[in-house]
Amino acid sequence: MLVLCVIRSASMVDSFLKYISFEKRYSQHTVESYQNDLEQFHTYITTKYSVKELSETSQLMVREWILSLIDDGVSARTVNRKIACLKSFFKFLLSRELIDFNPTLKVKSLKTQKELPDFADEDQFSVYLNSDYFEDSFEGRRNQLILELLYGTGIRLAELIGLKVSDVNLAQSTIKVLGKRNKERVIPVANSLKHLTQKYINEKNHVFSHDQNPFLIVNKSGGQAYPMMVYRIVKKHLENISSLDKKSPHTLRHTFATHLLNKGADLNAVKDLLGHSSLAATQVYTHNSLDRLKSVFDQAHPKA
């Protein structure tokens, strides 16, 4: 059964992207990924089936696209993101009565092997942060603050970029973060991070005295930081830590959670610090604590 054609594909996609951006508050990265996914799917069905509109999509078209992705060697994780994109898109169109049938209704996600999060060795990472690897300049202190904030608070890349100076409460040693789905949370910061932040803010005010950007992390021109800039900075510094395979801002989030749990932190508390909506999302880190417990057991128990 074909979906009724109501409006042009470009208009439908544009409406959907605005919906997930402003109403659902998806991250810019997710919005761009969904846009690319929809463009890719549209190209596929218009080329293979000679249809003009996404509203003409059938169940068969969706299933064959998924099979083509698998045949092309696309990872199950990426395929599942594309499936999620189509499900959200057609659910949106159905709710707006722009179509009368959801072609993704019976489409299921692929089974994936759960990947364990990569994290930095605690001792090795602490030595690095306390060393003289960072340049004695504004950019050097900014780069250090980026790593310290990601590791010291566990915030996401998008949350770091969106953090404003007004969100930093040095008197109470906290930062206020706007997370996914527009949810706010307050995270405590250690004294060392508090002092580094104060020093950075003072220098930022001095360097960009005539152009006060409200965002905490800025580029060398004083403008708001952007994802690739932060990613490059983090990757450059994590290259010096040999125990890491993955070197991204999210790796520091994993490291934050793992180190807390290895020190005996309550799982629910870590969940709240990370801004997870459910405990299941946080439990992925417990394997690391279990490994630590096994190591202690093997070393200390008489019967081990």
Side-chain angles (χ1 to χ4, degrees):
M1 175 182 177
L2 292 178
V3 181
L4 294 177
C5 178
V6 182
I7 56 176
R8 293 176 60 86
S9 294
S11 178
M12 288 190 294
V13 171
D14 185 58
S15 297
F16 172 67
L17 295 177
K18 288 179 179 178
Y19 166 71
I20 63 175
S21 295
F22 302 112
E23 293 189 41
K24 300 296 288 183
R25 302 291 297 181
Y26 283 13
S27 70
Q28 184 61 33
H29 177 73
T30 300
V31 173
E32 291 174 358
S33 295
Y34 274 26
Q35 182 177 12
N36 292 334
D37 292 340
L38 290 172
E39 289 175 355
Q40 182 185 15
F41 178 67
H42 185 242
T43 299
Y44 176 83
I45 63 172
T46 54
T47 301
K48 184 168 184 177
Y49 299 101
S50 299
V51 298
K52 294 182 180 180
E53 305 292 344
L54 282 167
S55 56
E56 298 178 72
T57 300
S58 68
Q59 288 183 337
L60 176 64
M61 294 176 191
V62 174
R63 293 183 185 279
E64 291 199 351
W65 184 55
I66 293 171
L67 289 174
S68 73
L69 294 171
I70 296 172
D71 289 341
D72 289 340
V74 178
S75 70
R77 192 181 187 89
T78 301
V79 172
N80 283 344
R81 190 204 67 216
K82 294 177 185 294
I83 292 173
C85 168
L86 290 189
K87 282 181 173 291
S88 296
F89 176 64
F90 287 110
K91 184 179 179 181
F92 167 78
L93 296 186
L94 194 64
S95 69
R96 297 299 193 273
E97 298 184 349
L98 299 176
I99 58 175
D100 65 355
F101 174 74
N102 185 345
T104 67
L105 198 60
K106 296 183 179 180
V107 176
K108 295 183 179 180
S109 299
L110 306 181
K111 290 185 178 180
T112 58
Q113 185 175 5
K114 186 172 288 186
E115 293 185 7
L116 299 179
D118 199 17
F119 62 96
D121 175 80
E122 185 176 347
D123 292 335
Q124 191 178 17
F125 192 56
S126 295
V127 169
Y128 182 78
L129 289 179
N130 293 324
S131 65
D132 296 325
Y133 284 106
F134 299 96
E135 296 178 5
D136 184 19
S137 64
F138 173 75
E139 288 188 34
R141 272 177 280 283
R142 179 205 61 194
N143 295 352
Q144 183 179 3
L145 181 61
I146 287 173
L147 266 74
E148 293 269 15
L149 274 170
L150 291 170
Y151 170 64
T153 64
I155 58 177
R156 302 177 178 93
L157 172 59
E159 293 169 347
L160 173 76
I161 291 173
L163 194 64
K164 296 180 179 179
V165 175
S166 59
D167 295 324
V168 178
N169 189 329
L170 295 175
Q172 295 186 7
S173 300
T174 61
I175 60 171
K176 183 174 65 178
V177 175
L178 186 64
K180 289 185 175 181
R181 309 295 187 271
N182 210 23
K183 293 181 179 178
E184 282 188 353
R185 67 185 190 279
V186 176
I187 306 173
V189 297
N191 283 332
S192 58
L193 179 53
K194 172 184 172 180
H195 297 320
L196 177 62
T197 305
Q198 180 67 78
K199 187 174 182 179
Y200 166 82
I201 291 175
N202 292 342
E203 191 161 353
K204 174 178 178 287
N205 292 338
H206 175 71
V207 174
F208 304 107
S209 57
H210 300 295
D211 185 17
Q212 286 299 308
N213 190 305
F215 293 98
L216 180 66
I217 304 300
V218 297
N219 59 30
K220 61 183 180 181
S221 301
Q224 184 183 9
Y226 49 92
M228 187 51 64
M229 173 195 128
V230 176
Y231 183 89
R232 284 198 299 260
I233 290 169
V234 171
K235 186 175 186 298
K236 172 188 173 183
H237 287 285
L238 292 188
E239 290 286 354
N240 296 295
I241 300 176
S242 59
S243 63
L244 284 173
D245 293 323
K246 296 181 180 179
K247 303 172 178 66
S248 69
H250 215 68
T251 301
L252 295 178
R253 180 171 163 86
H254 294 326
T255 301
F256 165 82
T258 301
H259 289 180
L260 281 178
L261 289 170
N262 281 343
K263 293 292 187 180
D266 178 72
L267 189 62
N268 276 299
V270 176
K271 164 186 166 293
D272 292 340
L273 288 170
L274 291 173
H276 284 161
S277 57
S278 69
L279 199 59
T282 315
Q283 287 175 329
V284 68
Y285 299 104
T286 58
H287 80 282
N288 297 312
S289 296
L290 182 59
D291 288 343
R292 180 68 174 266
L293 289 174
K294 286 180 178 179
S295 175
V296 172
F297 177 85
D298 289 340
Q299 291 178 22
H301 197 280
K303 296 288 187 179

